[in-house]
Amino acid sequence: MSSILLVTSSPRGDDSLSSKVAHDLANELSARDNGPSVVHRDLGVNPIPHLDSVTTSAIRKPAADRTPAEAAAADYSDKLVAELLAADTVVIATGLINFNIYSTLKSWIDNVARAGQTFRYTAEGPEGLAKGKKVYIVLASGGVYSQGPATGMNHAVPYLTTVLGFLGMTDVEVIYVEGVAFGPEAAEKAVASAQQRNRQLALAA
């Protein structure tokens, strides 16, 4: 059965516009594709610890050489990798904070970017192993960063498309929820525009 992995990263709970639009998109995609299961990884509610010496050591050792603490850390990372690899579609939601992604989302990436599991090095160079997935990025921001003078300050989309491509996920669509700091009416308009794009993308999926 096909599945959708929904990764939200905002700490703002129900007030998060990136999470709201991403949830709506996952539901649209599920409704139009015979109801694939949606697995939700909420990094705002359950943040993934940043990499530490235990995890960094664990993922570089054979399983037989790990300490109990390293074994637990590696098992947690392995589960995140398995969750990603099992998904046919990935929806990632983040706000633009200090011109980049939330650190909670960076921690998820640091755990799923695993040599030998989601990428490998070959004689021809690195090869992504998480291939064949459609990825949607929902990016919410107070200002407008998809076009205009602030475009170069948006480091979130270039970073995400680079790291996803490195892991083999090159079919990526971006849904902007932007200009939300310009007042309630602007925020409502931004959400409505994003939801319209959601419907278009769901129809095309």
Side-chain angles (χ1 to χ4, degrees):
M1 184 178 180
S2 61
S3 66
I4 298 169
L5 175 60
L6 170 61
V7 181
T8 57
S9 57
S10 174
R12 300 183 64 218
D14 292 339
D15 293 330
S16 168
L17 298 182
S18 65
S19 296
K20 171 180 172 50
V21 171
H23 272 285
D24 290 346
L25 176 58
N27 290 335
E28 288 264 5
L29 293 169
S30 179
R32 294 184 182 278
D33 191 24
N34 298 318
S37 61
V38 178
V39 175
H40 183 200
R41 175 66 61 174
D42 189 338
L43 306 177
V45 173
N46 296 299
I48 295 169
H50 293 130
L51 291 185
D52 56 15
S53 59
V54 174
T55 305
T56 302
S57 177
I59 62 179
R60 287 170 169 76
K61 284 184 179 180
D65 296 338
R66 292 169 181 157
T67 67
E70 289 172 342
D75 181 62
Y76 182 53
S77 182
D78 288 344
K79 288 178 180 176
L80 296 172
V81 170
E83 206 170 63
L84 172 63
L85 293 177
D88 302 288
T89 302
V90 183
V91 180
I92 297 172
T94 183
L96 188 70
I97 179 168
N98 296 323
F99 313 120
N100 215 319
I101 62 175
Y102 284 116
S103 65
T104 49
L105 181 55
K106 179 62 165 60
S107 291
W108 177 79
I109 291 169
D110 289 342
N111 274 271
V112 300
R114 294 276 300 279
Q117 296 195 38
T118 52
F119 72 92
R120 65 182 176 183
Y121 294 108
T122 73
E124 290 74 36
E127 177 190 4
L129 302 177
K131 300 176 181 177
K133 304 180 190 303
K134 180 72 176 185
V135 182
Y136 301 89
I137 297 169
V138 177
L139 179 67
S141 60
V144 175
Y145 295 90
S146 64
Q147 58 186 344
T151 304
M153 301 169 77
N154 174 7
H155 300 286
V157 171
Y159 169 70
L160 287 171
T161 53
T162 296
V163 72
L164 291 168
F166 185 81
L167 301 182
M169 293 172 278
T170 57
D171 189 359
V172 180
E173 298 277 0
V174 181
I175 300 96
Y176 287 94
V177 191
E178 57 185 352
V180 302
F182 300 146
E185 186 176 337
E188 289 177 11
K189 184 177 179 180
V191 170
S193 177
Q195 289 174 328
Q196 181 179 8
R197 179 147 169 75
N198 280 354
R199 290 188 288 271
Q200 292 170 345
L201 291 171
L203 283 170

